[in-house]
């Protein structure tokens, strides 16, 4: 056995070891209780390349090729299954798998109809092409990370492992004069280098990049103080998904796409200005609220919770926006669910100018109270509830008075279980 053959044997063993790296992702999904925010493309697309190289191994009687890709296919089938198990939107995964199986069928059928002397070369070309095509998954993940402003969902351990793997396969392809292998792995190596470099520009949100020691953008604190009480609260929100869903909502509502919970005043003003014009706008806004809810799935409650937001701030001026952002979505939920009928069948809902000055005054008083003493949230909320109820009762009806009070209670009274809204006679 010469040195090149030994090198090939080493690469076979090394590649099989690499196959088990996605286990780190599996452990992360288990820890989070969800694979939402992660991409399945980088698990499904490689299976196309593996299948083609496996077929090429059969045609060329390359046992190393068959062994490596056969084991890879088994492992990645398991990874995709686990991903789907932890995924709230399994339909996308199912469509990807169906597309994968269909593509493999047509490729194999095409190669089987080619003359046996030419089939290995054709299969080699296709396999190399699918390996380059498989980079789409990596490119997609990278572009998505740039859009989200974080590499949170691209595990660094896997990227660091890809570097020596693709480097060696590129060298091996050159040494054995296999142009298909050389070109395909060189392209993958370049993408890998760009991806690794991106950790410096778009650090993860919640974990430190190993080797480089790049700190996360946010350090989540597990203990939050509210109302002078230490509260252990679940704040496991997939930050990348949260940001993505907020951007999607902003785009749908005509809001500046890069605004976040820190800009809640601008977000709420734009939503209210549009929503309370006519019934159609109201219904449309509720539909977009539902899409935001579906986007976050089971993490919705955690992500909009003020304790989650409070855990991420270093600037004291962001404490109030954390409260207001949570209140915005809770009020939105109430308006589009329990309070929907009351809202759309009362003309006062779409005639805000009638009560504009009084409502604004109530809101200003509440915000001033919160800025002075945010720990007195129960007392502040009670005053706000009474203020809103009195205005609507005096200017409209008892029903709308209760509605305004109840919306205020739902928005801010999480820590105030004794607060109630009653019909004032």
């Amino acid at each position: 056995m010469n040195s090149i053959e030994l090198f090939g044997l080493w690469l076979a063993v090394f590649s099989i070891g690499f196959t088990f790296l996605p286990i780190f992702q599996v452990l992360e999904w288990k820890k989070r209780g969800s694979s939402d925010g992660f991409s399945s493309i980088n698990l499904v697309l490689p299976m196309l390349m593996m299948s083609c190289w496996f077929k090429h191994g059969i045609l060329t009687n390359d046992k190393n090729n068959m062994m490596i890709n056969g084991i890879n296919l088994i492992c990645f089938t398991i990874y995709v299954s686990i991903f789907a198990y932890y995924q709230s939107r399994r339909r996308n995964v199912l469509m990807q798998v169906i597309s994968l199986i269909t593509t493999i069928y047509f490729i194999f059928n095409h190669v089987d109809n080619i003359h046996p002397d030419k089939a290995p070369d054709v299969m080699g070309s296709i396999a190399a092409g699918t390996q380059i095509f498989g980079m789409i998954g990596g490119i997609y993940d990278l572009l998505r990370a740039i859009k989200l402003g974080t590499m949170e969902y691209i595990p660094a351990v896997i990227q660091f492992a890809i570097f020596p793997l693709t480097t060696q396969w590129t060298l091996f392809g050159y040494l054995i004069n296999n142009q298909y292998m050389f070109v395909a792995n060189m392209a993958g190596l370049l993408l890998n280098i760009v991806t690794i470099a991106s950790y410096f520009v778009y650090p993860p949100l919640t974990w430190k990049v190993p080797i480089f020691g790049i700190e996360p953008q946010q350090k989540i604190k597990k203990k939050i103080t509210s109302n002078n009480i230490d509260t252990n609260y679940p704040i496991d929100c997939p930050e990348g998904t949260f940001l993505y869903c907020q951007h999607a909502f902003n785009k749908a509502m005509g809001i500046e796409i890069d605004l976040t919970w820190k800009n809640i005043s601008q977000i709420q003003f734009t939503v209210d200005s549009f929503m309370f014009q006519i019934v159609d706008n109201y219904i449309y806004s509720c539909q977009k609220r539902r899409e935001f809810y579906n986007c976050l799935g089971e993490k919705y409650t955690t992500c909009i919770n003020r304790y989650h937001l409070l855990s991420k701030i270093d600037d004291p001026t962001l404490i109030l926006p954390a409260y207001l952002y949570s209140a915005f979505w809770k009020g939105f939920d109430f308006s589009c669910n329990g309070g929907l009928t009351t809202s759309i069948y009362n003309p006062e809902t779409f005639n805000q100018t009638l009560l504009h000055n009084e409502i604004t005054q109530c809101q200003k008083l509440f915000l001033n109270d919160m800025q002075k003493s945010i720990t007195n949230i129960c007392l502040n909320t009670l005053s706000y509830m009474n203020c809103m109820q009195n205005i609507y009762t005096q200017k409209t009806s008892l029903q709308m008075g209760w509605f305004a009070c109840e919306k205020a209670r739902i928005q801010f009274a999480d820590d105030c279980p004794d607060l109630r809204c009653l019909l004032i006679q």
Side-chain angles (χ1 to χ4, degrees), residues 8 26 84 86 112 129 153-154 164-165 182 188 297 304 310 333 339 344 348 378:
V26 172
Y86 283 110
D112 288 341
Y153 299 106
I154 302 181
L165 179 71
F182 176 78
I304 70 162
L310 288 169
D333 290 349
I344 63 176
E348 294 86 357
C378 292

Side-chain angles (χ1 to χ4, degrees), residues 200-211:
F200 291 94
V201 184
Y202 306 104
L205 294 170
T206 62
W207 49 272
K208 184 177 181 178
V209 180
I211 300 178

Side-chain angles (χ1 to χ4, degrees), residues 84-217:
Y85 174 78
Y86 283 110
Q87 178 62 224
S88 62
R89 296 182 291 275
R90 297 188 181 95
R91 183 174 178 274
N92 291 340
V93 184
L94 179 61
M95 294 302 296
Q96 290 172 16
V97 171
I98 291 174
S99 299
L100 170 69
I101 294 172
T102 303
T103 303
I104 291 173
Y105 170 79
F106 282 112
I107 289 175
F108 284 11
N109 188 59
H110 170 69
V111 173
D112 288 341
N113 289 320
I114 293 176
H115 191 278
D117 292 339
K118 296 181 179 180
D121 283 339
V122 172
M123 193 68 249
S125 299
I126 294 174
T130 58
Q131 187 166 343
I132 295 175
F133 178 73
M135 291 171 56
I136 289 177
I139 294 171
Y140 169 81
D141 277 353
L142 184 58
L143 292 176
R144 184 167 173 266
I146 293 172
K147 181 179 179 181
L148 294 174
T150 176
M151 297 286 283
E152 174 79 5
Y153 299 106
I154 302 181
V157 172
I158 293 179
Q159 293 302 316
F160 290 144
I162 288 175
F163 179 76
L165 179 71
T166 52
T167 300
Q168 292 178 83
W169 274 112
T170 301
L171 177 60
F172 185 69
Y174 174 78
L175 292 174
I176 64 174
N177 198 29
N178 187 325
Q179 59 181 341
Y180 307 122
M181 186 180 295
F182 176 78
V183 172
N185 283 284
M186 176 59 75
L189 179 60
L190 292 175
L191 176 61
N192 175 246
I193 292 172
V194 173
T195 302
I196 290 175
S198 297
Y199 285 108
F200 291 94
V201 184
Y202 306 104
L205 294 170
T206 62
W207 49 272
K208 184 177 181 178
V209 180
I211 300 178
F212 296 144
I214 301 172
E215 293 289 342
Q217 294 183 32

Side-chain angles (χ1 to χ4, degrees), residues 3 21 51 63 86 102 119 129 155 191 193 220 224 242 271 283 289 295 300 362 411 413 424:
S3 58
L21 275 176
S51 299
K63 294 181 180 178
Y86 283 110
T102 303
L191 176 61
I193 292 172
I220 294 184
I224 307 135
F242 183 33
V271 171
I283 299 299
R289 185 213 68 83
C295 182
Y300 171 80
C362 280
Q411 286 180 302
I424 300 175

